Amino acid sequence: MYYIYSKEKLPKLLFDVNLTSEEVKLYGGWDVIFGYYPNIQKDNSTIIERDTPFNYPIFDNNTIREMTRDEKVANDIEITLEVGEFIENKKLIKVPKPQGNDKYLNWNSEKHLWILDTEAQRKDYFNTIDSLKAEVLDYGFDYKVDKTEHRQRCRDTDISKMVATVVALQLAKNIGADKKITWYFEDNFGMNAGLQELGMLMLFGTTFIQSVYDTENFFKTKENPKELTKDEFEKKRKEIHSKLAKG
């Protein structure tokens, strides 16, 4: 298939010829074909062989090609703008998306600006903190007995049993019976504990839980939203725990 365009900056489709190159030769060549169009000069035309006509042709380097998006804009041809683009003075302007916080940057096509969705960022940040807090609380804490750490869970059942045991030991002491029990940690290590030993464990656990909630408060009120990691959360929690224990 041949398409014949005018030889100008913005070519016009003059006519088309549904022939192969061999058929053009058999027909007598292009001079014969142009003879059917007396108002069109062959020297002022460009013959293009292709399957379909151009949508938006432009004459460039002595040939015809499709316009680029920038050329369409310059020639007042409507295009679909991509995110981060706008048109000004017949020029296509592209505003690169700023690095960092990519997930929360939205393109405002009216203001031609990338705008940070602070509400969505804050919501995700708080969800991350809540998730880290739940994970730390679920694990519990490591309690050192004779230089070896043992995991103590902080589930409701663990706390209620610890409180009940401390109360029972206190009642026993009040009536003159200084009793001891065996307190088992998550790894089934049994610690021989009286009121003082179990009271210290309970106090450590109370401080631990306080440190978790204080850490949550710190990141939610004193830090700007960011990519918060478990290591960073735990580092701050231990710092707070240490201060609470000393205080």
Side-chain angles (χ1 to χ4, degrees):
M1 187 80 179
Y2 288 93
Y3 296 92
I4 291 75
Y5 287 89
S6 60
K7 192 179 290 186
E8 53 187 319
K9 186 63 178 178
L10 299 181
K12 296 180 180 66
L13 179 61
L14 303 175
F15 65 91
D16 60 69
V17 177
N18 190 12
L19 298 173
T20 65
S21 59
E22 291 299 320
E23 288 171 336
V24 169
K25 292 177 182 178
L26 291 174
Y27 207 83
W30 285 108
D31 288 337
V32 174
I33 294 174
F34 269 87
Y36 289 96
Y37 302 91
N39 294 327
I40 299 175
Q41 297 181 359
K42 181 183 174 185
D43 292 341
N44 293 330
S45 306
T46 302
I47 303 168
I48 300 292
E49 184 179 13
R50 56 184 284 129
D51 294 332
T52 58
F54 291 101
N55 292 314
Y56 300 100
I58 189 168
F59 194 74
D60 180 43
N61 290 328
N62 207 36
T63 189
I64 297 176
R65 59 170 173 80
E66 284 283 3
M67 285 186 185
T68 64
R69 296 176 74 244
D70 292 271
E71 289 167 339
K72 289 178 185 177
V73 169
N75 287 281
D76 293 321
I77 297 171
E78 185 176 348
I79 65 168
T80 300
L81 292 174
E82 297 176 0
V83 176
E85 293 182 337
F86 68 95
I87 296 172
E88 186 174 79
N89 298 325
K90 292 190 176 184
K91 290 185 179 180
L92 180 61
I93 310 297
K94 299 181 181 181
V95 182
K97 193 173 187 179
Q99 296 297 312
N101 295 320
D102 290 16
K103 181 180 177 182
Y104 307 104
L105 287 170
N106 298 318
W107 175 248
N108 187 306
S109 57
E110 294 182 359
K111 297 182 179 180
H112 303 158
L113 293 171
W114 289 99
I115 295 178
L116 182 66
D117 188 344
T118 54
E119 181 59 29
Q121 185 185 35
R122 187 188 68 83
K123 183 179 179 180
D124 284 354
Y125 177 60
F126 276 27
N127 287 339
T128 297
I129 294 172
D130 291 341
S131 178
L132 291 172
K133 178 186 72 173
E135 186 177 347
V136 172
L137 286 173
D138 182 68
Y139 177 86
F141 58 89
D142 294 320
Y143 189 73
K144 189 175 291 185
V145 181
D146 296 331
K147 298 182 179 181
T148 301
E149 290 186 335
H150 303 279
R151 179 185 176 189
Q152 174 60 55
R153 301 291 294 276
C154 288
R155 299 164 298 188
D156 290 344
T157 181
D158 300 299
I159 294 173
S160 62
K161 287 175 182 176
M162 188 180 296
V163 171
T165 305
V166 168
V167 171
L169 291 175
Q170 182 64 58
L171 289 173
K173 186 175 183 179
N174 290 343
I175 61 175
D178 197 6
K179 292 180 63 65
K180 288 196 172 186
I181 55 94
T182 301
W183 182 264
Y184 289 98
F185 292 91
E186 184 71 10
D187 60 359
N188 289 317
F189 172 80
M191 177 181 72
N192 191 30
L195 182 60
Q196 181 178 355
E197 289 80 12
L198 201 59
M200 290 177 63
L201 173 62
M202 187 173 178
L203 182 60
F204 189 96
T206 301
T207 307
F208 162 74
I209 293 173
Q210 184 65 55
S211 72
V212 174
Y213 282 91
D214 283 354
T215 302
E216 174 193 14
N217 177 263
F218 171 81
F219 283 112
K220 284 185 176 180
T221 63
K222 296 180 176 61
E223 288 282 310
N224 292 323
K226 59 181 179 178
E227 293 294 328
L228 182 63
T229 65
K230 182 180 178 181
D231 288 342
E232 188 176 0
F233 186 92
E234 184 62 8
K235 181 180 178 181
K236 173 54 68 174
R237 188 203 66 76
K238 287 181 178 179
E239 175 188 320
I240 292 175
H241 191 164
S242 178
K243 290 179 180 179
L244 290 171
K246 291 177 182 178

